[in-house]
Amino acid sequence: MSNDEALLVESAEQSCIDEAREAGVELLLPREVPLGGPRALPVLRSLPNKHRHMIGAWCFADSFGPADLTDGPGMDVPPHPHTGLQTVSWLVSGAVAHTDSTGAEHTVRPGGVNVMTAGRGIAHSEYSTPDTTVLHGVQLWTALPLADQGVDPSFAGLDAVPEVPLEGGAVARVFAGRYAGAASAAPVYSPLLGAELRIPAGGEAALALEGAFEHGVLALTPGIALDDVPIGVGEIGVLEPGRASAVVSAGDGEGIAILLGGVPHEEEFVMFWNFIGRDHAEVERAREAWMAERDAPEGERPRFGLVDDGSGTTLPSPRLPTVELLPRGRAKRRR
C-alpha cells in the first residue's frame, strides 16, 4: 500500500469513528495480528486499542474466523505463560483443546466456555482439534484486581452456559458474570458481563443495560449495528456508563455478536505480552522467571509449572522495551 492509499484508508476510518461518536457510540477498529507459532492463525485484535485500553475489566479481545482449516492454519499455540489475568475462550464453531500447568485439560466447544485464572502464574497451550473444519470465536482477557493478582492459578471448563431470551427474538448466552437474571458458573473477580448475542436475520436484540457498567458490542458476523451504528466484523462499539438500554440489530443473515460489560476499572497496572503486574519491575520479574523455567526440568519450574501436552516446545517471551512500561487503567484507557 502506498502512502497516499494509507492516508485515504486512515481518513475513511476516522470518518467512521467520528460518525459513530456523533451517534453516541465509540467505535474501536481492530488490527490483524498472527496468533501462535510458525503456522499462525490471523486474528482481529480490537482490545487493547490505541483509543481505549479496557471495557470494564476486559483488557484484551481477539476475534477469529470463520476460518476454513482445510485451506489454512488452525489454532496452534504451544505452552506459554500468563500472570495477573483471566483468559476466556468462547467459540461459535469448531473446538479447541486446552492443557495447563495445574493439570487441567478441557476441550471447549460452541455453547461452553473455558476460563483460566492465571493469578501469580500459569502456563497453558491451545490447539484446534483435528476434527475442526471451521474455527470461529473469540479469545478474551480480564485484568484481575490488584488484590487478587497473586491468587493460585486455576481453571474452569463449562460445557454449557445459561441462555436468556431477549425482546425482539434474540438469545443471549451468558458465559461470564450476570445478565437478565442469569449467571454463569465461571469464576469472576469483579462485576462484569460476557455474553453471546444470537439475532435472527433482519431482527434485533433489545438490551437492558446495567447503568454502572460501560459496555461493548463486538461483531462476529457482517450486518451488525448498535443503535443503528454499523459495527464491522472484529470492531467494537462502546457505550459509556449511564445507558439503560440499547438495540443490537442484524442484517440479511443471522447476527452474532459478543456483549461485554463491567464497572470501569479504576486500578492502574502494567501489561506486556501475556503478563499483567503492578508495575514494570513486576512484569520484568515474571518474564525472567518464564525464560528461566520454560525449558527447565519439571521439578525446576516453581512459578509457571509444566504443561504436559506432548508438544515438546514452549513460546519464548519477546524482549522488554528499553524504556519503562507505562501503566494502564481508567486514567489511561483512552487517548
Side-chain angles (χ1 to χ4, degrees), residues 133-287:
T133 56
V134 176
L135 188 64
H136 190 192
V138 292
Q139 290 270 3
L140 309 165
W141 298 355
T142 69
L144 290 173
L146 296 182
D148 297 309
Q149 287 191 355
V151 299
D152 289 340
S154 61
F155 175 81
L158 307 180
D159 292 325
V161 301
E163 290 192 4
V164 181
L166 302 177
E167 185 180 341
V171 172
R173 292 175 170 176
V174 183
F175 57 77
R178 297 174 175 273
Y179 185 69
S184 170
V188 295
Y189 285 77
S190 60
L192 54 76
L193 160 65
E196 180 199 75
L197 304 177
R198 294 266 180 155
I199 309 168
E204 61 184 35
L207 304 179
L209 302 179
E210 167 60 56
F213 282 14
E214 49 194 3
H215 292 86
V217 173
L218 167 59
L220 298 186
T221 56
I224 296 294
L226 171 60
D227 287 349
D228 295 327
V229 174
I231 310 295
V233 172
E235 299 176 2
I236 299 180
V238 181
L239 302 175
E240 290 286 359
R243 293 286 302 269
S245 63
V247 174
V248 180
S249 55
D252 294 336
E254 180 188 39
I256 305 175
I258 300 296
L259 174 63
L260 302 175
V263 174
H265 193 86
E266 301 289 350
E267 297 177 326
E268 292 191 344
F269 59 87
V270 167
M271 180 173 167
F272 170 75
W273 194 44
N274 300 322
F275 307 117
I276 285 181
R278 296 172 182 271
D279 52 32
H280 180 102
E282 191 168 280
V283 167
E284 185 174 29
R285 287 193 295 271
R287 181 193 181 277

Side-chain angles (χ1 to χ4, degrees), residues 11-246:
S11 176
E13 290 178 345
Q14 189 59 52
S15 177
C16 291
I17 291 171
D18 291 342
E19 289 178 7
R21 184 180 294 116
E22 290 177 3
V25 176
E26 180 184 357
L27 187 62
L28 305 182
L29 304 183
R31 64 191 190 280
E32 185 174 285
V33 299
L35 178 69
R39 286 171 45 81
L41 175 75
V43 303
L44 295 176
R45 183 160 298 163
S46 44
L47 277 180
N49 189 280
K50 66 180 180 179
H51 297 293
R52 173 183 281 266
H53 293 159
M54 306 181 74
I55 299 170
W58 300 101
C59 62
F60 182 94
D62 277 356
S63 56
F64 46 86
D68 183 352
L69 302 195
T70 62
D71 295 327
M75 186 172 292
D76 183 4
V77 188
H80 58 283
H82 289 282
T83 64
L85 55 84
Q86 287 185 297
T87 65
V88 180
S89 301
W90 177 265
L91 296 179
V92 175
S93 60
V96 171
H98 162 102
T99 305
D100 69 44
S101 54
T102 71
E105 298 181 12
H106 188 259
T107 296
V108 64
R109 302 180 186 277
V113 66
N114 278 359
V115 177
M116 185 181 74
T117 303
R120 57 179 169 76
I122 197 170
H124 76 137
S125 63
E126 292 177 298
Y127 302 100
S128 49
T129 60
D131 62 340
T132 294
T133 56
V134 176
L135 188 64
H136 190 192
V138 292
Q139 290 270 3
L140 309 165
W141 298 355
T142 69
L144 290 173
L146 296 182
D148 297 309
Q149 287 191 355
V151 299
D152 289 340
S154 61
F155 175 81
L158 307 180
D159 292 325
V161 301
E163 290 192 4
V164 181
L166 302 177
E167 185 180 341
V171 172
R173 292 175 170 176
V174 183
F175 57 77
R178 297 174 175 273
Y179 185 69
S184 170
V188 295
Y189 285 77
S190 60
L192 54 76
L193 160 65
E196 180 199 75
L197 304 177
R198 294 266 180 155
I199 309 168
E204 61 184 35
L207 304 179
L209 302 179
E210 167 60 56
F213 282 14
E214 49 194 3
H215 292 86
V217 173
L218 167 59
L220 298 186
T221 56
I224 296 294
L226 171 60
D227 287 349
D228 295 327
V229 174
I231 310 295
V233 172
E235 299 176 2
I236 299 180
V238 181
L239 302 175
E240 290 286 359
R243 293 286 302 269
S245 63

